[in-house]
């Protein structure tokens, strides 16, 4: 995060908020299974295996596989549109928007399983917005790394390091938490139809990439 300008940091925080929003919707719908936080799912998968809770294990195993497929999809889209960073980011975000729109439309016709599949694919795909040499540089759908960075950079500040370099990571974590709160509140009112809000927000972020400064995109990845 600290290697990016403010516009790209803002985009990352906004995408983290989107992930939190979607994850809250998925968590409520699936009764405690995440659609973006795969570390938590992996622990539940392991505990379910030990307990012989095979229905839960099957559900979580499917979500894990879908998330990885989403990462593959995002990576393929990024590779195919890698002629410049603006185009690559736009293409990946457009794919996320399309998947969330499919999810919202599936809810409209009462195809909840299809909605969950599309939501999970979208969360995997989102992780290809920020990348370098084919690897993700900013984790947008999971925050353990951000919390570690906060702690490390606060400690570094005690020994003469940059005083405020932990703030972007706090923003990333705060974005996900805020998005999750809003997602849970939206679910109370709209149920999974709140996916239309997520799809519209993703579309707005897709358009916003076209207005990022050339310098931001040259300095960022």
């Amino acid at each position: 995060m600290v290697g990016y300008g403010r516009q790209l940091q803002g985009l990352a925080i906004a995408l983290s908020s989107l992930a939190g929003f979607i994850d809250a919707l998925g968590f409520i719908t699936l009764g405690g299974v995440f659609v973006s936080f795969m570390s938590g799912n992996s622990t539940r998968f392991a505990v379910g295996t030990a307990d012989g809770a095979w229905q839960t294990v099957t559900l979580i195993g499917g979500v894990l596989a879908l998330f990885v497929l989403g990462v593959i999809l995002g990576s393929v889209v990024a590779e195919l549109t890698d002629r410049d960073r603006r185009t690559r980011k736009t293409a990946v975000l457009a794919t996320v928007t399309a998947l969330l729109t499919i999810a919202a439309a599936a809810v409209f016709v009462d195809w909840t399983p299809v909605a969950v599949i599309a939501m999970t694919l979208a969360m995997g795909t989102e992780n290809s917005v920020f990348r370098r040499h084919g690897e993700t540089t900013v984790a947008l759908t999971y925050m353990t790394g951000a919390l570690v960075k906060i702690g490390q950079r606060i400690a570094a500040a005690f020994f003469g390091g940059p005083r405020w370099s932990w703030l972007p990571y706090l923003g990333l974590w705060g974005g996900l938490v805020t998005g999750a709160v809003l997602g849970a509140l939206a679910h109370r009112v709209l149920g999974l139809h709140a996916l239309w809000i997520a799809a519209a927000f993703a579309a707005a972020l897709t358009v916003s990439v076209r207005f990022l400064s050339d310098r931001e995109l040259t300095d960022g990845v």
Side-chain angles (χ1 to χ4, degrees):
M1 284 284 285
V2 295
Y4 298 99
R6 290 186 178 181
Q7 291 180 1
L8 286 175
Q9 287 181 358
L11 176 63
I13 291 170
L15 286 169
S16 179
S17 300
L18 176 64
F21 190 96
I22 296 297
D23 211 22
L25 296 180
F27 184 85
I28 295 168
T29 301
L30 296 176
V33 176
F34 303 96
V35 295
S36 78
F37 178 51
M38 294 301 123
S39 296
N41 280 347
S42 297
T43 300
R44 290 207 61 192
F45 181 88
V47 172
T49 300
D51 291 342
W54 303 119
Q55 185 174 356
T56 299
V57 168
T58 300
L59 172 61
I60 296 176
V63 171
L64 290 167
L66 284 168
F67 185 84
V68 173
L69 285 174
V71 174
I72 294 170
L73 174 61
S75 298
V76 169
V77 170
E79 289 292 339
L80 292 175
T81 58
D82 201 27
R83 60 180 178 272
D84 65 76
R85 291 161 180 167
R86 191 186 306 276
T87 300
R88 185 184 72 208
K89 284 178 168 53
T90 301
V92 173
L93 283 171
T95 304
V96 171
T97 301
L99 287 167
L100 292 178
T101 302
I102 290 170
V107 174
F108 188 75
V109 295
D110 203 25
W111 291 351
T112 301
V114 174
V116 171
I117 290 169
M119 290 162 65
T120 309
L121 289 172
M123 292 298 92
T125 300
E126 183 178 302
N127 285 286
S128 290
V129 175
F130 291 89
R131 48 182 260 149
R132 179 188 292 122
H133 306 308
E135 301 289 337
T136 296
T137 56
V138 179
L140 299 170
T141 64
Y142 48 97
M143 289 298 118
T144 302
L147 292 172
V148 170
K149 289 289 188 182
I150 290 170
Q152 289 176 335
R153 290 182 178 275
I154 289 175
F158 295 153
F159 297 95
R163 182 176 297 179
W164 304 111
S165 64
W166 53 274
L167 282 176
Y169 298 100
L170 180 62
L172 200 63
W173 176 83
L176 186 134
V177 171
T178 301
V181 170
L182 293 174
L185 292 174
H187 189 275
R188 289 185 182 181
V189 179
L190 301 171
L192 269 186
H193 291 291
L195 282 166
W196 287 112
I197 298 173
F201 187 57
L205 293 178
T206 303
V207 173
S208 74
V209 173
R210 310 310 299 177
F211 297 96
L212 291 174
S213 70
D214 291 336
R215 180 176 179 178
E216 287 263 343
L217 290 167
T218 299
D219 293 341
V221 292

